[in-house]
Amino acid sequence: MPVHPVPGSEKFSYRPSSAAKVREIASPHVRLHDVDDDAVAELDALTYEVVRHRLESITDEMGEAIVRMSGSLVVTDANDFNFAILDEVGETVQIGLYNTELSACSDMAVKWTLENRAENPGIRPGDMFLCNDPWVGGGVHQNDVSLFAPLFVGDELFAWTAAVAHQVDLGGVSPGSWTVKSTDVFWESLPTPPLKIVENGQLRSDIEDAWLRRCRIPALVALDLRAKIGANRMAQERLTTLVDKYGAKTVKAVMRRMLDDAERRLRAKLAEIPDGEWTSVSYQDSARQGDDGLYTIRLRLTKSGDSMTLDFRGTDPQADGLINCTYAGLRGGIMPILLATLCGDLPWSPGGIYRCFDIISEPGSINDATFPAGVSKASVASAWATTNAVTECISGMLDTHTEYKRNAMSVCVGSWDLAVLQGMDQRGVPFVGLVSDPMAGGLGAQPHSDGVDTGGLACIPMGRVPDVEMTEFTYPMMYLWRREEPDSGGPGRFRGGLGGSSAFILHDSPAPGVALVVSGGGKAIPQSSGLSGGYPANTQFDVAIRNSNIRELFNEGKMVNDLEDISGELEHMPPHLESMLGTADVYFMAWQGGGGYGDPVSREPQAVAMDARAGKITVGAATEIYGVSFTDDGTVDETATAELRQAIRRDRAAEAVETKMKG
């Protein structure tokens, strides 16, 4: 069914305005604090560094605050949240080291609020605005909920603080709000443009009631809302203390210089890198339950002088499904990899970094979707696939520079392996649980080293995999295992980091079981691609063993460490499925590792042997992919290895000639 534009939705199809335009629109209704260029120029180096580090510290304290106040495993253990400090017109000055995708579009929501809420209902001290509208910004899909607050100094709006976190459930057709049967946004959780939910320091009960009414687990979402309120208040107290000590003029001058410094230093790096063009295509298999389509995101990166252009023209049209992302998601797919590869030694000031590149996209495409496209999986679908394409191009660019190539990295964890459970927990209370184990994905290989096994996600520097015990305490689950999987890292001269797998059953959950929502790409096509001849990582793999004998095995005192040890009806999970998990079922999920770097037959044979002994690769992969032969005692047979690798190269050449002749 085609998705048709909805009249009146143009107001919410937002592109972030310039600081000058925001100031022009908002100034008649709210006084905005500013400093001139002279104030920035007068800053001494010591004051700049002290205040800059204090702003960075405040974002870290915001992270600690929300973790201490939230009750959600996604926040407290997986660190799927972030924070930002923005200037008076919404330019992002500092973000935290948590989920950087979430903070890549905080500026959009703040700027939209300044343009559309300054007159009515007004922006005043003690206010906070809530937003989960992906077309406005503040998050990539509806489950990313932002709460942002203006900070006034005297009667002038001085800055903003913003907290954003993934909420486990915000309504919609499916548990967890990941609607795998979605054909448009009306199947999904309701997008909510900025609402003043805190007014003059007081939480408005009418707005909160309307907000929580959609949720399957309103108490948990209410607790997360209060955690964000508390984190914003703590940050504003710290900022007020900073202003009292150094003066508003000095602190604002530091914020301005941070933006300018990030731009200046990134442009200097880009100027050192040879000009050129790099292209990439990333894939998604299936847009919704029952769909077997293949969807592509195309990127042409052009680097000229001290700036870049990221051109996504040619990307597929938005799909009838849940995998699309808005322009906010497109930006969320770009910024994390720039921070991780190009900006590790720069102030993490996206407001300055955005000045160094242009984005060209086509409204109505899967990573610039127009309303009312389905976007409930945007963060780990088209935004994630955008990150994959950007990773390939940026790393390819870095690989041309002698010094900066050390920061190049193959794609990490090409797609998220989603499993959501919903039902009654072991305490007889309704629950919705997102299994966050794929946080332990494999990092991509680099030009000088292997990727880190189950090292995490490049876009979430402080991401964590929750403890097994904490997951079992929170949800009615019991693990059979959680472990690294051999051969899951992309082969290469340097191997991609391993992915992992989990197997679990329900425990202390009433019959017949719980609802299960499955959504994961990369099952038909590997999505953790390699670099410079490196191979991609494994494909994602999920199965359920229905009506298993697992409890009989437990009663016999047998430890189970392989699916083959369990009898039952094996059901392979498609990319998207809404089903049930019964009390006698076993669920197995295996997520992706990182892509490799360089030709696998160039890997040091002793490194291959070491991986084989450690169980990181199988002997079959060592022989067939890496071309390493072993003697009977397991040591490398140097002569046979040289012959085997030469044979692999000959076979490749013959295959290339045959393909060319057929073409």
Side-chain angles (χ1 to χ4, degrees):
M1 180 184 299
V3 177
H4 299 293
V6 175
S9 64
E10 297 82 5
K11 176 180 180 180
F12 305 101
S13 299
Y14 189 61
R15 295 290 194 273
S17 300
S18 66
K21 181 179 178 182
V22 174
R23 187 176 298 278
E24 178 186 352
I25 295 173
S27 290
H29 312 291
V30 58
R31 293 190 61 184
L32 300 175
H33 181 274
D34 196 12
V35 293
D36 56 27
D37 293 340
D38 290 341
V40 179
E42 291 168 3
L43 267 179
D44 65 272
L46 180 59
T47 300
Y48 172 65
E49 289 298 329
V50 169
V51 175
R52 180 178 74 83
H53 280 85
R54 190 69 191 105
L55 292 172
E56 182 178 329
S57 175
I58 290 171
T59 59
D60 292 340
E61 291 181 65
M62 290 176 79
E64 291 295 325
I66 195 170
V67 166
R68 290 177 181 273
M69 289 183 277
S70 171
S72 170
L73 195 70
V74 171
V75 172
T76 60
D77 284 67
N79 285 350
D80 191 2
F81 65 91
N82 213 346
F83 300 95
I85 297 173
L86 308 95
D87 70 8
E88 76 282 3
V89 290
E91 295 291 292
T92 307
V93 174
Q94 179 71 48
I95 67 171
L97 290 170
Y98 299 91
N99 189 338
T100 54
E101 180 185 81
L102 299 183
S103 294
C105 47
S106 294
D107 61 321
M108 291 178 60
V110 170
K111 289 179 177 182
W112 191 95
T113 300
L114 281 163
E115 293 180 25
N116 293 276
R117 297 290 188 256
E119 180 179 7
N120 181 10
I123 300 172
R124 300 179 182 88
D127 292 347
M128 296 189 192
F129 294 84
L130 179 144
C131 175
N132 81 322
D133 190 329
W135 281 275
V136 169
V140 176
H141 65 153
Q142 299 95 309
N143 290 69
D144 299 336
V145 182
S146 290
L147 186 72
F148 39 95
L151 172 65
F152 282 79
V153 174
D155 62 352
E156 292 184 322
L157 201 169
F158 178 80
W160 295 76
T161 60
V164 54
H166 179 94
Q167 309 295 164
V168 176
D169 183 274
L170 290 176
V173 171
S174 298
S177 308
W178 310 79
T179 308
V180 297
K181 298 179 182 179
S182 171
T183 56
D184 59 45
V185 75
F186 298 112
W187 286 71
E188 303 173 353
S189 176
L190 179 68
T192 304
L195 295 174
K196 188 187 289 189
I197 197 168
V198 176
E199 188 169 28
N200 194 28
Q202 297 295 315
L203 177 63
R204 289 188 53 172
S205 59
D206 57 343
I207 302 298
E208 184 189 20
D209 287 345
W211 171 245
L212 299 179
R213 185 64 172 160
R214 71 189 71 191
C215 307
R216 291 175 175 84
I217 44 171
L220 183 59
V221 175
L223 183 59
D224 274 355
L225 173 61
R226 284 158 176 77
K228 295 175 198 174
I229 292 172
N232 273 308
R233 284 178 174 166
M234 183 280 300
Q236 298 211 349
E237 289 175 4
R238 301 290 191 272
L239 285 169
T240 299
T241 300
L242 192 65
V243 168
D244 289 343
K245 182 173 183 178
Y246 290 96
K249 178 181 176 181
T250 297
V251 175
K252 180 57 63 65
V254 170
M255 296 169 75
R256 286 279 186 272
R257 182 174 287 183
M258 288 175 67
L259 295 168
D260 294 343
D261 192 31
E263 177 188 10
R264 176 185 58 80
R265 292 170 63 183
L266 179 52
R267 288 193 183 278
K269 280 189 177 183
L270 292 173
E272 295 179 37
I273 297 172
D275 291 348
E277 288 189 352
W278 295 265
T279 60
S280 177
V281 181
S282 64
Y283 299 93
Q284 297 176 88
D285 42 5
S286 180
R288 66 185 183 282
Q289 183 170 323
D291 174 51
D292 60 358
L294 186 65
Y295 303 88
T296 61
I297 289 175
R298 301 180 184 276
L299 170 61
R300 179 178 297 276
L301 169 67
T302 303
K303 206 291 295 186
S304 178
D306 63 356
S307 64
M308 299 182 294
T309 299
L310 288 83
D311 186 347
F312 292 93
R313 286 176 295 189
T315 291
D316 281 351
Q318 61 195 46
D320 295 339
L322 71 159
I323 67 168
N324 308 288
C325 74
T326 67
Y327 187 76
L330 174 61
R331 293 170 99 233
I334 295 170
M335 185 55 65
I337 194 61
L338 297 186
L339 294 172
T341 59
L342 279 167
C343 304
D345 57 346
L346 276 63
W348 273 22
S349 302
I353 295 168
Y354 274 124
R355 301 171 187 170
C356 300
F357 62 93
D358 296 316
I359 302 171
I360 301 175
S361 61
E362 297 174 308
S365 56
I366 59 172
N367 65 351
D368 188 359
T370 55
F371 192 84
V375 293
S376 60
K377 198 193 171 187
S379 61
V380 291
S382 287
W384 197 292
T386 297
T387 295
N388 295 346
V390 174
T391 299
E392 282 196 72
C393 288
I394 292 291
S395 294
M397 179 185 74
L398 292 172
D399 209 14
T400 67
H401 191 275
T402 304
E403 178 184 356
Y404 296 140
K405 71 181 301 177
R406 70 180 187 274
N407 295 324
M409 179 183 290
S410 297
V411 174
C412 311
V413 200
S415 65
W416 178 263
D417 192 350
L418 175 75
V420 174
L421 307 176
Q422 183 257 332
M424 300 296 289
D425 70 12
Q426 58 269 51
R427 291 166 284 271
V429 176
F431 84 99
V432 179
L434 172 65
V435 181
S436 298
D437 294 6
M439 278 287 199
L443 292 180
Q446 297 187 269
H448 55 83
S449 67
D450 293 344
V452 180
D453 299 329
T454 54
L457 314 176
C459 62
I460 311 180
M462 291 186 67
R464 301 192 311 174
V465 58
D467 290 340
V468 164
E469 291 82 0
M470 183 56 69
T471 303
E472 291 176 334
F473 172 78
T474 306
Y475 307 137
M477 296 166 50
M478 182 168 67
Y479 279 87
L480 306 183
W481 67 77
R482 186 171 73 191
R483 63 192 182 205
E484 294 177 348
E485 284 292 321
D487 293 338
S488 56
R493 180 183 179 190
F494 294 104
R495 175 181 53 77
L498 299 184
S501 73
S502 292
F504 57 84
I505 61 174
L506 296 180
H507 182 65
D508 262 357
S509 181
V514 302
L516 169 69
V517 178
V518 177
S519 182
K523 294 185 175 180
I525 295 178
Q527 295 184 359
S528 295
S529 54
L531 282 177
S532 297
Y535 288 13
N538 60 321
T539 52
Q540 194 177 122
F541 182 66
D542 307 304
V543 299
I545 302 178
R546 304 293 191 180
N547 301 310
S548 75
N549 67 336
I550 186 65
R551 298 187 190 278
E552 289 84 348
L553 293 173
F554 284 164
N555 290 336
E556 295 170 6
K558 295 181 178 178
M559 294 294 294
V560 178
N561 56 23
D562 197 293
L563 293 180
E564 294 183 356
D565 297 335
I566 308 168
S567 64
E569 305 157 15
L570 189 66
E571 179 183 355
H572 291 268
M573 297 289 109
H576 301 293
L577 179 69
E578 187 167 354
S579 182
M580 291 285 295
L581 189 67
T583 54
D585 298 341
V586 175
Y587 193 77
F588 172 84
M589 55 194 301
W591 54 91
Q592 296 175 61
Y597 181 93
D599 191 341
V601 298
S602 298
R603 185 168 177 79
E604 287 292 334
Q606 295 302 329
V608 176
M610 187 178 299
D611 279 350
R613 286 194 296 270
K616 297 181 183 296
I617 64 172
T618 60
V619 173
T623 302
E624 297 171 16
I625 299 176
Y626 289 97
V628 175
S629 181
F630 300 103
T631 62
D632 292 340
D633 63 359
T635 59
V636 174
D637 186 328
E638 301 287 353
T639 301
T641 293
E643 293 174 353
L644 182 55
R645 289 185 162 185
Q646 187 61 32
I648 290 173
R649 293 186 177 100
R650 282 197 303 266
D651 290 343
R652 289 179 183 170
E655 184 179 353
V657 170
E658 182 180 352
T659 301
K660 184 176 181 180
M661 292 177 66
K662 288 181 178 179

